[in-house]
Amino acid sequence: MESRPRTSPARHDRWVVGWRELAAAAADLAWGGACAACGTPGPVVCPDCESRLRSLAPAAVTVRHGVPPTYARGAYADDLRAVILACKERQGLGLVPVLAELVTGSALALLRDRWVGGPVLVVPVPSARATRAARGFDLTGAMAGSLATFLRRRCELDARASKALRPVRRAADQAGLTIEQRALNRRSSLVARAGRPAQVLVVDDLITTGATLAEASRALRHAGHRMIGAAVVAATPRTT
Ligand SMILES: [Zn+2]
């Protein structure tokens, strides 16, 4: 096995996970192989789109009160939107390593700015059971697992993934709701498993109004944890 340079949270711009190898096999199985971003026949993400995606600098998202500090790789548009949608709706599993690498960049920037040392618990925002069943895999769970492994192996952090959050009731469809309605809709919709208090980094694919992340934060704090913040792939500009 080749040796790789160790990467610290401060050096997030230089890491390479190598999603192309992992995803190539799945691409052939899923869609006859076309780039999720531009449609060029070949791997799930073509080399041009891959370098564009990797060049997206993670940055803090402006969030309202109650939403934990959140970092994303960019707006939910163009390449990021195409890759997220393709993963959720079409190419599925083959694109998980791509999204996992993107969210890892967000997480490293978050840790660089907000982590004060000590063990890190990586917690995915849970998808609805029906969504997981329809999709055939757990996207946020897979991203959280991949991120925790990266933090342990490449950054030598004491990090582990835990599905510490679970939905307690089905929140109604969020589409068409105002920020206030979404917040109300989400309140007490998640519960965090009690356990040894930890510093928590929450993982999700998207932030829209932040209602879901605020609820995740509330539930985790209620269970005694301290929030570092949230890492997501993309942020939807607020429209309501
Ligand atoms: Zn492409």
Side-chain angles (χ1 to χ4, degrees), residues 69-147:
T70 301
Y71 283 63
R73 297 300 289 268
Y76 183 57
D78 306 326
D79 294 339
L80 284 179
R81 182 170 182 274
V83 169
I84 289 171
L85 278 179
C87 181
K88 286 178 162 180
E89 295 176 359
R90 305 194 306 271
Q91 281 155 305
L93 215 47
L95 281 164
V96 170
V98 177
L99 295 185
E101 181 171 338
L102 289 167
V103 91
T104 295
S106 303
L108 292 175
L110 170 73
L111 290 170
R112 180 192 60 202
D113 292 350
R114 314 274 318 180
W115 179 59
V116 293
V120 176
L121 195 65
V122 180
V123 176
V125 169
S127 324
R129 191 176 300 173
T131 306
R132 282 203 306 274
R135 205 175 279 161
F137 63 97
D138 174 10
L139 173 60
T140 55
M143 291 196 301
S146 171
L147 170 59

